[in-house]
Amino acid sequence: PYGPPQQVPGNYQGAYQGAVNYGFQPQPMGFPGGFVPPVQNQPMVNGTIWMPIPPSIPNCPPGLEYLTQIDQILIHQQLELLEIVTGFETNNKYELKNSLGQRVYFAAEDTDCLTRNCCGSARPFTMRIIDNLGREVITLQRPLRCASCCCPCCLQELEVQSPPGTTVGYVVQNWHPCLPKFTIQDEKKTDVLKITGPCIVCRCCEDVNFEVQSLDETCAVGRISKKWTGLVQEMFTDTDNFGISFPMDLDVKMKAVMIGACFLIVSLSF
């Protein structure tokens, strides 16, 4: 299923002109020309088809090799029956899949019951993301901060670690009177990319898109989308589907930070 790298759909050509500035770098695949031979027998665990384990890559955090082979991630929140019946917020769990429907990672929130139900969308959390070997490859740390644009001195921030304990980047909320805006930073807190969402994030019968752009906000680099899942599911559950698209040759660390940005946006807006 893994042929030569394909360009991300959309007008992203301008982003490649300033590749060095936006965290792009060539992604070695472990095979000549970046080719990875197809896997005939797809790994399956407990009835779930996992993405085949890629070869190790020098200077790539362990577990992020999967990200060198994809330009899109689909995130499916799992349905929690206890939450539907009781109304109490439970730890959220998510499947992260590639465009072929193979599971790349599994993510689970780690917070206590009091924090979840008292702090709501502003709650601090630790999100643990594991691969199909059971390794925790990405850890997201969100401290308790203000979720309102009325308090610009203490807006949201999320730290992305890969492997756990090693910071690879941050997602920082920017103050704006009406638009949700964020900045993706590297491990040294240097700005790398910008994210801008719509003024109204609750829309009926259509997706909600957060555009990932260059620092000057002139070039489209990728997109984080909340997918419309149907009237019944939208009204009676809080399970959502999300999509992340990015250039194939974007630095894997920045791809991991974009995953963190998606979870921060999910917790704040949906």
Side-chain angles (χ1 to χ4, degrees):
Y2 307 109
Q6 301 295 320
Q7 178 185 333
V8 180
N11 185 22
Y12 302 146
Q13 292 295 331
Y16 288 83
Q17 305 302 322
V20 175
N21 295 329
Y22 305 148
F24 292 83
Q25 65 181 26
Q27 298 296 321
M29 305 296 288
F31 294 89
F35 173 75
V36 177
V39 177
Q40 300 299 328
N41 297 317
Q42 302 185 68
M44 181 176 295
V45 179
N46 296 327
T48 300
I49 298 177
W50 285 80
M51 180 176 173
I53 302 172
S56 60
I57 298 175
N59 302 319
C60 177
L64 297 192
E65 297 91 349
Y66 298 90
L67 299 181
T68 64
Q69 301 180 353
I70 58 178
D71 58 9
Q72 185 182 41
I73 291 180
L74 305 176
I75 300 178
H76 304 288
Q77 184 176 354
Q78 294 194 333
L79 186 66
E80 299 291 339
L81 295 179
L82 179 63
E83 186 173 327
I84 296 175
V85 174
T86 65
F88 284 96
E89 186 75 18
T90 60
N91 277 324
N92 292 321
K93 300 179 179 65
Y94 304 87
E95 283 185 296
L96 284 72
K97 298 182 178 181
N98 61 17
S99 57
L100 300 176
Q102 300 167 329
R103 183 188 286 182
V104 184
Y105 299 118
F106 181 82
E109 179 185 355
D110 184 6
T111 56
D112 59 78
C113 181
L114 183 63
T115 299
R116 289 193 305 273
N117 291 281
C118 291
C119 298
S121 62
R123 66 180 180 265
F125 64 72
T126 298
M127 186 77 70
R128 308 186 188 281
I129 301 177
I130 64 174
D131 66 0
N132 60 2
L133 294 178
R135 300 178 299 176
E136 184 178 343
V137 297
I138 303 174
T139 302
L140 309 179
Q141 296 279 3
R142 178 193 179 188
L144 180 62
R145 284 176 167 265
C146 180
S148 171
C149 63
C150 298
C151 300
C153 61
C154 193
L155 293 177
Q156 293 294 314
E157 180 176 308
L158 181 138
E159 179 183 355
V160 181
Q161 302 174 359
S162 182
T166 302
T167 302
V168 296
Y170 298 87
V171 184
V172 179
Q173 185 181 15
N174 305 127
W175 184 87
H176 193 278
C178 58
L179 294 177
K181 297 176 75 73
F182 303 87
T183 298
I184 289 179
Q185 301 175 332
D186 63 14
E187 68 276 10
K188 298 179 181 179
K189 290 205 168 184
T190 302
D191 293 352
V192 179
L193 296 168
K194 295 285 188 179
I195 301 176
T196 303
C199 181
I200 301 176
V201 297
C202 296
R203 298 182 180 179
C204 183
C205 301
E206 63 179 280
D207 296 345
V208 180
N209 297 319
F210 289 73
E211 302 297 334
V212 182
Q213 301 170 314
S214 58
L215 287 180
D216 57 7
E217 300 186 21
T218 60
C219 299
V221 177
R223 177 177 292 170
I224 297 173
S225 301
K226 192 270 184 186
K227 304 296 185 181
W228 173 256
T229 55
L231 184 61
V232 174
Q233 185 165 327
E234 295 283 346
M235 290 184 61
F236 297 103
T237 73
D238 66 352
T239 56
D240 295 307
N241 295 329
F242 301 86
I244 308 173
S245 61
F246 36 63
M248 185 75 76
D249 61 348
L250 184 66
D251 184 356
V252 290
K253 295 180 181 179
M254 292 301 101
K255 290 183 180 181
V257 178
M258 283 186 64
I259 293 175
C262 180
F263 281 113
L264 181 59
I265 291 171
V266 167
S267 61
L268 285 174
S269 304
F270 305 105

